[in-house]
Amino acid sequence: MKSEAIKVLNVKDLTTCFFTDIGVATAVDRISFSVSQGDTLGIVGESGCGKSVTALTIMQLIPQPPGKIASGQVIFDGIDLLQLPDKQMRQIRGRKISMIFQDPMTSLNPVFKVGDQISEVIRLHQKLSKKESLNRAVELFKRVGIPSPEKRVHEYPHQLSGGMRQRTMIAMAISCHPKLMIADEPTTALDVTIQAQILNVLQDLKENIGSSIILITHDLGVIAETAQNVIVMYAGKIVEYAPVEDLFENPCHPYTVGLMHSVPSLEQDTEKLPVIPGLVPSLFEIPPGCAFNNRCDHASKRCLNEEPPLIDVTPTIKCKCWLYH
């Protein structure tokens, strides 16, 4: 991780909880990380580990109630976003920080043409006329590789393919040249060819406009291709944090090792794909000690009773495991 690089985002001890009739679920539990200028930070983990809630917390899009940002800081451009009133936060969303949501079909408004939805963002933040903003939407469609952009801007979301809807979301996200883009599983439910095209679009745009990216995914292959640093999350906590090359060469946490082994490989000579035994614990019933203890082959008595801290295992890798104490 580049200590000398300019930090675009600094997250410190962030905790987000949801208060429900059956108890309190801590979806994000005291996590800290940073994003450097021009870099891509990958966040990986199983469904329900807190990846998307982390992104929504940064954007201040957690529904309150039942959600509540219990503690922490989100420092962007020297300002703690968690201290900003809604009016100021709305000026930052879309202009300085943008988000590509997981499902564009539910993120795009079905009753408005896609060009109108993009031009609305442009008019709000850049004060252009309706005609100018629509022309800008056409340019953005060309930039993200949507064919016949002059025609597509006048179509509704249901008239576009899944890949084009995702490109529309990317066009909206980059419309104001944000410093930081958060991409929440941008290639989910797309075939591998479209996935590769979407990742290439994001990479090209990052290089051209100089944005930093937080890329949320469960696909380690995507992380290997695109990210500089990576966070592995489990049950709302960061269990490993490292440069991507170091993580793939020397995964330290047993959960990270399990994720690596569960990816199919051409060299594997076994009939069955290795899996991590057991299930992710409910956020309402996190076990004492290490949250991974009931699925870990290395679990000791200490793992069952004491939660390990996130420590420096090597000069570049941080890991939350008693194996390294």
Side-chain angles (χ1 to χ4, degrees), residues 39-104:
D39 277 0
T40 297
L41 173 72
I43 304 181
V44 297
E46 293 171 276
S47 296
C49 70
K51 306 186 299 294
S52 294
V53 175
T54 299
L56 293 172
T57 302
I58 292 170
M59 297 290 285
Q60 281 202 53
L61 292 174
I62 295 293
Q64 303 186 49
K68 182 182 179 182
I69 303 171
S71 65
Q73 294 179 302
V74 177
I75 309 296
F76 176 78
D77 269 357
I79 300 169
D80 186 358
L81 299 182
L82 302 185
Q83 302 301 318
L84 294 182
D86 286 344
K87 184 177 181 180
Q88 283 183 259
M89 194 63 206
R90 283 196 297 270
Q91 293 172 351
I92 289 175
R93 282 192 216 108
R95 184 164 65 94
K96 293 186 176 181
I97 306 177
S98 62
M99 187 162 176
I100 304 165
F101 291 93
Q102 188 168 348
D103 184 358

Side-chain angles (χ1 to χ4, degrees), residues 10-267:
N10 235 324
V11 174
K12 301 177 182 178
D13 295 319
L14 189 64
T15 300
T16 302
C17 303
F18 290 88
F19 295 82
T20 73
D21 293 338
I22 60 173
V24 180
T26 304
V28 173
D29 192 357
R30 294 165 292 161
I31 69 170
S32 299
F33 62 88
S34 62
V35 183
S36 297
Q37 183 175 327
D39 277 0
T40 297
L41 173 72
I43 304 181
V44 297
E46 293 171 276
S47 296
C49 70
K51 306 186 299 294
S52 294
V53 175
T54 299
L56 293 172
T57 302
I58 292 170
M59 297 290 285
Q60 281 202 53
L61 292 174
I62 295 293
Q64 303 186 49
K68 182 182 179 182
I69 303 171
S71 65
Q73 294 179 302
V74 177
I75 309 296
F76 176 78
D77 269 357
I79 300 169
D80 186 358
L81 299 182
L82 302 185
Q83 302 301 318
L84 294 182
D86 286 344
K87 184 177 181 180
Q88 283 183 259
M89 194 63 206
R90 283 196 297 270
Q91 293 172 351
I92 289 175
R93 282 192 216 108
R95 184 164 65 94
K96 293 186 176 181
I97 306 177
S98 62
M99 187 162 176
I100 304 165
F101 291 93
Q102 188 168 348
D103 184 358
M105 196 60 196
T106 57
S107 305
L108 293 167
N109 193 319
V111 301
F112 291 103
K113 296 172 183 177
V114 290
D116 291 338
Q117 296 185 55
I118 294 177
S119 61
E120 181 183 11
V121 176
I122 297 168
R123 290 201 310 274
L124 177 66
H125 293 298
Q126 297 188 348
K127 310 301 181 187
L128 298 180
S129 69
K130 188 172 183 178
K131 183 179 180 181
E132 288 172 329
S133 59
L134 192 60
N135 289 337
R136 171 81 173 131
V138 172
E139 292 173 13
L140 289 165
F141 271 25
K142 288 179 183 176
R143 195 168 189 177
V144 299
I146 293 179
S148 306
E150 294 85 358
K151 175 188 173 185
R152 298 298 182 187
V153 291
H154 298 294
E155 293 184 338
Y156 294 91
H158 72 272
Q159 295 177 285
L160 304 179
S161 67
M164 282 196 284
R165 284 195 293 267
Q166 194 61 277
R167 289 169 189 264
T168 299
M169 289 298 301
I170 294 172
M172 190 181 295
I174 66 167
S175 60
C176 298
H177 297 91
K179 278 192 173 183
L180 176 66
M181 284 192 290
I182 302 174
D184 188 1
E185 302 202 24
T187 58
T188 297
L190 300 176
D191 65 62
V192 289
T193 304
I194 303 299
Q195 282 187 27
Q197 292 173 0
I198 294 295
L199 292 174
N200 286 337
V201 167
L202 285 174
Q203 187 64 26
D204 290 343
L205 292 170
K206 186 183 82 165
E207 292 173 0
N208 290 331
I209 67 178
S211 294
S212 303
I213 297 177
I214 296 177
L215 179 62
I216 297 170
T217 182
H218 57 267
D219 190 332
L220 289 168
V222 169
I223 292 297
E225 288 181 28
T226 58
Q228 282 72 53
N229 297 304
V230 58
I231 288 169
V232 182
M233 291 189 70
Y234 185 79
K237 298 177 173 69
I238 293 175
V239 295
E240 193 157 355
Y241 183 14
V244 68
E245 297 90 351
D246 296 352
L247 187 88
F248 277 83
E249 288 177 8
N250 182 31
C252 293
H253 197 280
Y255 177 61
T256 309
V257 174
L259 289 179
M260 297 286 190
H261 287 167
S262 65
V263 177
S265 169
L266 294 174
E267 286 78 28

